[in-house]
Amino acid sequence: MALHEIVVLGDEVLRKPGEKVDAFDEDLERLIEDMFETMYHADGVGLAAPQIGISRRICVIDVREEEEPFGGKVALINPEIVEFSKATDKTSEGCLSIPGLEEVVTRPERVRVRALDPSGEPVEIEVGGLFARALQHEVDHLDGVLFIDRVSPLKRRMLLKKWKKLREEDG
């Protein structure tokens, strides 16, 4: 297994829709293992392939909640959200690709997702809470959407201004 560098806001791969995966082989298995290792090392609950510079529709999530399907841990290939609940939840979100920024984002409380597992078998899961939020966040990444796109234009401008300041301080 290997750690990958997490790309940050400004890298064009984060704004491109990921390419569908059609090869289910050892390379894919190794990439998924690397993604989990990279996510854990960064202390995240989800990671999408574009966040490590790979424009493919792969995401990993581990919300570490035993009551959730799969214990809250899953690797999904070509995921598609097929149903959203009408009820919504407002919670603060951050992103490994935009370190240092958080903002309250409104998302549906529950989602149903269709995808393929790492061996290419179809899966369908319905989840709520943090698992649903993480899934939506990661599927957004696969579509070239960031959490800052889910807030008001005013909040987005403020976040981008703060991001620019953080980058100047780091740099």
Side-chain angles (χ1 to χ4, degrees):
M1 291 194 294
L3 288 176
H4 289 259
E5 184 177 334
I6 295 174
V7 300
V8 297
L9 181 62
D11 191 308
E12 65 184 37
V13 73
L14 293 173
R15 292 304 195 172
K16 292 183 351 189
E19 297 174 19
K20 281 200 165 195
V21 173
D22 54 17
F24 296 84
D25 54 17
E26 289 178 11
D27 289 339
L28 177 64
E29 288 177 27
R30 192 172 316 108
L31 176 59
I32 290 168
E33 287 176 14
D34 290 352
M35 288 176 65
F36 273 116
E37 183 176 353
T38 301
M39 178 189 73
Y40 293 138
H41 185 263
D43 201 27
V45 296
L47 186 70
Q51 291 181 273
I52 57 169
I54 299 170
S55 188
R56 296 176 71 197
R57 297 191 67 78
I58 305 164
C59 67
V60 297
I61 295 167
D62 188 350
V63 295
R64 302 163 190 96
E65 293 181 2
E66 290 304 316
E67 64 273 7
E68 293 290 352
F70 319 109
K73 179 179 177 177
V74 69
L76 298 174
I77 316 303
N78 304 329
E80 178 185 0
I81 298 175
V82 295
E83 190 175 315
F84 297 91
S85 68
K86 289 183 176 139
T88 59
D89 176 48
K90 288 183 179 183
T91 302
S92 184
E93 275 186 38
C95 180
L96 296 175
S97 291
I98 317 175
L101 294 188
E102 286 188 8
E103 187 54 63
V104 173
V105 178
T106 302
R107 293 193 184 266
E109 284 181 359
R110 297 192 65 76
V111 294
R112 190 161 44 94
V113 176
R114 284 191 192 128
L116 300 173
D117 71 12
S119 63
E121 294 299 314
V123 294
E124 186 169 311
I125 57 175
E126 186 173 332
V127 294
L130 179 58
F131 203 162
R133 180 167 292 276
L135 255 172
Q136 292 172 79
H137 182 106
E138 300 313 325
V139 170
D140 273 355
H141 273 299
L142 302 179
D143 294 332
V145 176
L146 302 173
F147 85 93
I148 60 174
D149 301 327
R150 300 281 183 197
V151 299
S152 72
L154 175 62
K155 283 188 179 179
R156 185 169 34 259
R157 281 193 300 277
M158 290 171 36
L159 288 167
L160 290 172
K161 187 175 180 179
K162 182 177 179 182
W163 174 251
K164 184 177 177 185
K165 186 177 178 184
L166 287 170
R167 300 305 289 167
E168 288 170 357
E169 290 170 1
D170 287 345

